[in-house]
Amino acid sequence: MGSARNYRNVNMSKIIIHKCLFAEEINSILHKIILEKSVNEDAGALMTSWKFFTDEFMIVGNYVLNFIQDLNISPPPGKTSKLKIVDLWGQLYRFGDYQISHQHHPNDFSFVYYVNTPEGSSPLYFDDTKQTIFPEAGKMVLFESWIRHSVPKNQCEGRSVIAGNIIFESIN
């Protein structure tokens, strides 16, 4: 489980849900990019590359970085307070696509940003907390990377998300 549970200023063991105000102006562009660039078969869905640091995706990534910084979370021992996005990708869920239970440790934080959520879009399920987060375009879900999560079989075409992993940079 690692040092991700040892933050002093905020209890991040809960899942943070936040509505992003820029969704209406950018989600159609993001969805189009995800449709075009999600060509890699992941365990249960199509995805872009893991390191998809385009200007458009970085709008979401930088927003999440600023959001975390505003939480004033102390870094674990041996790390600085400087945050860095190490992975940023898009995923496209077709009918029947899913994600098995997994986690993103040793990263410090992970997030999912909902881009396109047609009726029948599967929720994000957190195994440890038994929380189900229903998708809504513009919703960002932030959580510590050690928390196991999954996506049940999708019941529509075109559910798309941007996801990422963030770390506190090491001192050395």
Side-chain angles (χ1 to χ4, degrees), residues 17-69:
I17 302 166
H18 176 75
K19 183 71 173 177
C20 300
L21 299 178
F22 57 79
E24 283 187 31
E25 54 192 75
I26 193 169
N27 277 9
S28 63
I29 296 166
L30 295 173
H31 183 64
K32 183 177 181 211
I33 293 169
I34 293 168
L35 285 172
E36 291 173 1
K37 301 297 183 180
S38 292
V39 295
N40 303 313
E41 285 283 348
D42 186 29
L46 289 175
M47 67 179 287
T48 65
S49 68
W50 287 101
K51 311 285 186 196
F52 202 72
F53 296 105
T54 65
D55 291 343
E56 297 88 356
F57 273 41
M58 284 306 295
I59 292 170
V60 175
N62 287 327
Y63 185 89
V64 175
L65 282 178
N66 290 329
F67 184 86
I68 296 170
Q69 287 171 336

Side-chain angles (χ1 to χ4, degrees), residues 50 89 102-107 110 143 145-147 149 165:
W50 287 101
W89 68 95
H102 66 285
Q103 44 107 339
H104 296 257
H105 185 77
N107 299 294
S110 297
F143 52 97
S145 296
W146 60 265
I147 300 175
H149 55 284
N165 293 316

Side-chain angles (χ1 to χ4, degrees), residues 1 3 5 46 53 69 84 91 105 122 146 162-163 166 171:
M1 299 210 180
S3 61
R5 288 184 159 186
L46 289 175
F53 296 105
Q69 287 171 336
K84 177 181 178 182
Q91 263 188 318
H105 185 77
S122 290
W146 60 265
I162 293 175
I166 297 171
I171 290 175

Side-chain angles (χ1 to χ4, degrees), residues 82-135:
K82 184 170 181 182
L83 294 166
K84 177 181 178 182
I85 300 174
V86 292
D87 301 303
L88 187 64
W89 68 95
Q91 263 188 318
L92 178 65
Y93 288 76
R94 302 157 295 187
F95 190 89
D97 284 352
Y98 62 94
Q99 288 297 326
I100 62 170
S101 181
H102 66 285
Q103 44 107 339
H104 296 257
H105 185 77
N107 299 294
D108 292 304
F109 304 103
S110 297
F111 71 89
V112 173
Y113 172 77
Y114 291 103
V115 176
N116 192 55
T117 56
E119 187 175 336
S121 291
S122 290
L124 178 61
Y125 178 73
F126 289 94
D127 303 28
D128 299 323
T129 63
K130 308 291 187 228
Q131 249 183 298
T132 301
I133 310 297
F134 292 95

